[in-house]
């Protein structure tokens, strides 16, 4: 069994994710390619002590990049969009009061 910290690699804080979080409390994480929705849900619950309403996942395909005549490809990665229950919130930056 994997640790919750192995499943939740890092939060993906982007402009699009911030706009989604304003309408409905959502958080976007980068997770391993073989992680499933129930593992992600349990990891978020145990690490952040919040109620999870829904987990959506997608595989982001790596881009083909070239540098001169050399061509390479970035790795594929999995994105998990976690919708939190009403009243739940994850604050990554801390509240500046």
């Amino acid at each position: 069994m994997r640790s919750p910290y192995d499943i939740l690699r890092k939060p993906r804080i982007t402009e699009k994710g911030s706009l989604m979080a304003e309408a409905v409390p959502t958080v976007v994480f980068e997770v391993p390619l073989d992680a499933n929705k129930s593992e992600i849900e349990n990891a978020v619950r145990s690490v952040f002590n919040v109620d999870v309403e829904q987990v959506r996942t997608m595989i982001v395909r790596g881009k083909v990049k070239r540098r001169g005549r050399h061509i390479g490809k970035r790795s594929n990665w999995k994105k998990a969009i976690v919708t939190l229950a009403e009243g739940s919130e994850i604050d990554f930056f801390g509240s500046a009061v």
Side-chain angles (χ1 to χ4, degrees), residues 12-31:
R12 301 293 288 202
I13 300 169
T14 60
E15 187 174 353
K16 186 175 183 179
S18 299
L19 290 174
M20 285 188 335
E22 289 178 4
V24 179
T26 58
V27 183
V28 180
F29 290 101
E30 181 179 331
V31 296

Side-chain angles (χ1 to χ4, degrees), residues 1 3 7-8 17 27 29 31 64 67 72 80 93 95:
M1 186 166 170
S3 165
I7 294 173
L8 301 177
V27 183
F29 290 101
V31 296
V64 175
R67 187 174 195 115
F93 300 111
S95 56

Side-chain angles (χ1 to χ4, degrees), residues 47-97:
V47 171
F48 297 106
N49 287 335
V50 293
D51 293 327
V52 176
E53 189 172 299
Q54 182 182 21
V55 176
R56 294 175 290 166
T57 60
M58 65 189 76
I59 294 177
V60 180
R61 302 290 174 196
K63 294 181 178 181
V64 175
K65 294 290 186 177
R66 61 181 285 171
R67 187 174 195 115
R69 66 179 185 186
H70 301 288
I71 298 175
K73 182 181 174 295
R74 291 185 179 167
S75 299
N76 298 338
W77 57 281
K78 192 172 199 176
K79 180 192 293 189
I81 301 172
V82 179
T83 304
L84 304 175
E86 288 296 324
S88 297
E89 183 181 352
I90 297 176
D91 188 19
F92 291 112
F93 300 111
S95 56
V97 176

